Amino acid sequence: MSGEGADGNTLNFFERKEGCTMKIRYGFRHVGDVEVFYREAGPSAAPVILLLHGFPTASHMFRDLIPLLADRFRLVAPDLPSFGQTKVPPRGIFDYRFDHLADVIEGFTDALSLDQYVLYIFDYGAPVGLRLAMRHSERISAIISQNGNAYIEGFSDEWGPWETYWREPSAANREACRSSLAPDTIRNWQYGTGADPNLLSPDGYELDIAYMARPGAEEIQLDLILDYRSNVALYPAFQSYFREHRPPLLAVWGRYDPTFLPAGATAYQRDLPDAKIHLLDTGHFALETHAEEVSALIRAFLDSTISSTTVKI
């Protein structure tokens, strides 16, 4: 089944949800020389949730969550530049830094006229989304952080090679980070750690592995690994934003995440005492095994913080 989008892009629809028709629309939006791929579902006049994925995945990580919320919310999930289906100029032309990723996603939200939204941040999506929040605090009605770190306390002891590369960006230290991109690391460490293998579909990690195998993908990701130090440098600014603007915040975290510890979730309450913290018995990619639990927590949280009458679309 297909239709024509408002911007002339052809959109494909997937229908599902317990007896009623839910349509997930797929399309592209031009932001400068970038074609941002995105998936979207839900009523156009409903409160918006902007879903920002992380490393090494893409918006397909939200494939199970979106249908669970699309009856009440408008969900918009773009692929970040260098991830998924978003089309970006080659390395050397496009500047692969987190500031630039945020510039593109800011342009994307402008293109879709998203003037207020709930911000869902995961992994790399956290520093991208929190840059947007600092630039446009008036647009943020609430924040959902799913293993989206903003505190030093959240770092596990597995960051050694990356931290060494940040301190000394030599060719040897760059090469030492390459194992983070390997298929076994994606499959068994990033996805597998702490997750029930009987609930973990191979679809997500095998697609991520295929994306990583594309020509030039590893070098782009190594550039972003180096620039990740810019995110850590911004943690005090992110925390100042929390204290100044007091966005309602839900942290829903896989407690067995090998990358970001539960302390990264509870740390939010230092700057946002009313933040809601929930730890799930799973790993980094909590939606792969606990999408229904996450959607229930989101519904309860947003029921207590926003309504269609208080959120401008």
Side-chain angles (χ1 to χ4, degrees):
M1 186 173 180
S2 64
E4 194 72 17
D7 60 353
N9 291 320
T10 298
L11 305 177
N12 298 316
F13 300 110
F14 172 69
E15 302 181 1
R16 180 163 79 93
K17 188 169 171 56
E18 298 178 354
C20 65
T21 299
M22 305 302 297
K23 297 180 179 180
I24 300 182
R25 305 175 292 279
Y26 306 93
F28 290 87
R29 283 290 175 127
H30 284 273
V31 180
D33 54 2
V34 178
E35 286 186 72
V36 179
F37 171 83
Y38 68 104
R39 60 192 73 210
E40 178 180 6
S44 60
V48 175
I49 303 178
L50 178 66
L51 303 158
L52 298 182
H53 68 83
F55 164 84
T57 188
S59 63
H60 70 85
M61 69 166 278
F62 300 112
R63 64 195 181 280
D64 293 330
L65 181 67
I66 288 174
L68 297 172
L69 295 172
D71 61 323
R72 180 181 166 196
F73 302 100
R74 178 187 174 194
L75 299 111
V76 180
D79 285 356
L80 298 177
S82 78
F83 294 85
Q85 295 298 315
T86 289
K87 295 176 171 58
V88 188
R91 182 173 176 257
I93 299 176
F94 185 86
D95 188 9
Y96 286 98
R97 294 182 298 111
F98 280 87
D99 279 344
H100 204 186
L101 300 191
D103 291 343
V104 172
I105 298 304
E106 180 181 4
F108 171 78
T109 62
D110 290 342
L112 266 64
S113 299
L114 304 182
D115 57 5
Q116 193 168 46
Y117 49 84
V118 176
L119 182 62
Y120 186 117
I121 53 176
F122 166 74
D123 191 85
Y124 277 19
V128 172
L130 293 176
R131 280 172 168 83
L132 300 187
M134 289 197 304
R135 295 176 187 179
H136 298 286
S137 59
E138 75 284 357
R139 297 183 180 183
I140 308 302
S141 53
I143 297 175
I144 301 161
S145 175
Q146 185 247 301
N147 298 76
N149 197 52
Y151 294 87
I152 292 295
E153 295 94 320
F155 283 112
S156 73
D157 59 3
E158 300 286 347
W159 289 75
W162 288 33
E163 291 173 333
T164 300
Y165 186 34
W166 300 343
R167 291 190 298 269
E168 184 183 349
S170 66
N173 289 337
R174 180 181 179 92
E175 193 62 29
C177 295
R178 197 176 296 273
S179 62
S180 298
L181 314 176
D184 283 348
T185 304
I186 294 171
R187 181 185 301 110
N188 299 319
W189 190 75
Q190 291 176 327
Y191 274 82
T193 302
D196 184 341
N198 295 313
L199 300 178
L200 185 62
S201 168
D203 298 337
Y205 59 72
E206 291 296 347
L207 182 54
D208 290 349
I209 290 168
Y211 282 145
M212 193 63 68
R214 295 184 294 191
E218 286 195 0
E219 298 309 315
I220 289 170
Q221 293 302 325
L222 290 169
D223 290 348
L224 288 173
I225 286 173
L226 177 59
D227 192 57
Y228 198 91
R229 60 187 175 178
S230 72
N231 302 328
V232 181
L234 280 174
Y235 281 3
F238 294 159
Q239 294 156 20
S240 178
Y241 158 78
F242 297 146
R243 291 190 297 271
E244 180 179 354
H245 295 284
R246 299 285 178 176
L249 185 136
L250 167 68
V252 54
W253 219 268
R255 69 169 72 242
Y256 304 122
D257 186 340
T259 306
F260 295 123
L261 303 173
T266 57
Y268 279 108
Q269 289 181 322
R270 187 170 69 220
D271 297 308
L272 295 169
D274 295 329
K276 308 300 182 185
I277 313 296
H278 295 273
L279 302 178
L280 303 176
D281 289 330
T282 189
H284 186 61
F285 286 95
L287 294 181
E288 295 294 314
T289 56
H290 286 65
E292 291 186 356
E293 290 88 341
V294 173
S295 70
L297 290 169
I298 290 173
R299 283 180 179 274
F301 169 66
L302 295 182
D303 280 347
S304 68
T305 55
I306 69 168
S307 72
S308 58
T309 60
T310 60
V311 176
K312 248 187 352 178
I313 303 300

